[in-house]
Amino acid sequence: MRNEILTVLEKNSRIDLNELAVRLGFDEAAVANEIADMEKEGIICGYHTLINWDKTSQEKVTALIEVKVTPQRGLGFDSIAQRILNYEEIHALYLMSGGFDFTVIIEGKTMKSVAQFVSEKLAPLESVLSTSTHFVLKKYKDHGTMLEFTSKDERIMITP
């Protein structure tokens, strides 16, 4: 039951509890209890609304920052991650394999504000060796949801 609930909630966290129970073929009380249990266990960590900020008057810039660090002896990457994620500007933080250690995703009002965050807060952290900032120019799909594209019929009309 858990996986089925999670699959539906991941796509639509606003689904009515009764509709969810009917769709999955479970009792509404059982579904409600299972959701409450998953929230207590930290499986369900929050509910978010995906907003296409480009269609609003709010100016936002999203940046992905590659960060190389020196892990601390005995603590590994977790202590560094803890220091980084405490900044309110951080929207996501991922430990990576490959050429760098962390991907940091932040949003700011301007490119300058993002650059200031990197140069004044992130780069000076002890253990940070280097950063590389990439600005998102346009979002087409986010969290599995199409933001911009509409299907266009590309078929060629043939006339007799």
Side-chain angles (χ1 to χ4, degrees), residues 88-105:
E88 65 182 45
E89 294 91 342
I90 304 294
H91 282 258
L93 175 64
Y94 305 107
L95 180 63
M96 307 296 291
S97 64
F100 55 95
D101 303 303
F102 290 110
T103 294
V104 177
I105 300 175

Side-chain angles (χ1 to χ4, degrees), residues 105-141:
I105 300 175
I106 71 168
E107 284 185 354
K109 290 185 179 185
T110 64
M111 288 184 175
K112 183 177 180 177
S113 69
V114 171
Q116 283 179 315
F117 169 79
V118 173
S119 65
E120 296 173 7
K121 295 181 180 178
L122 185 60
L125 286 176
E126 188 177 327
S127 301
V128 171
L129 299 174
S130 68
T131 63
S132 179
T133 303
H134 308 273
F135 289 98
V136 175
L137 301 178
K138 185 173 182 177
K139 292 181 183 179
Y140 296 102
K141 188 174 185 178

Side-chain angles (χ1 to χ4, degrees), residues 10-14 47-56 62 91 107 139-148:
E10 187 176 37
K11 295 288 183 201
N12 180 9
S13 63
R14 293 189 65 194
Y47 299 90
H48 301 277
T49 302
L50 180 60
I51 299 168
N52 186 349
W53 288 104
D54 290 343
K55 294 193 179 253
T56 71
T62 303
H91 282 258
E107 284 185 354
K139 292 181 183 179
Y140 296 102
K141 188 174 185 178
D142 196 0
H143 291 83
T145 301
M146 300 288 261
L147 299 178
E148 286 294 323

Side-chain angles (χ1 to χ4, degrees), residues 22-55:
V22 168
R23 184 186 297 184
L24 299 177
F26 296 115
D27 178 64
E28 186 175 340
V31 171
N33 290 335
E34 195 64 35
I35 290 172
D37 289 345
M38 289 189 285
E39 289 171 343
K40 287 178 195 165
E41 294 171 30
I43 295 170
I44 296 176
C45 301
Y47 299 90
H48 301 277
T49 302
L50 180 60
I51 299 168
N52 186 349
W53 288 104
D54 290 343
K55 294 193 179 253

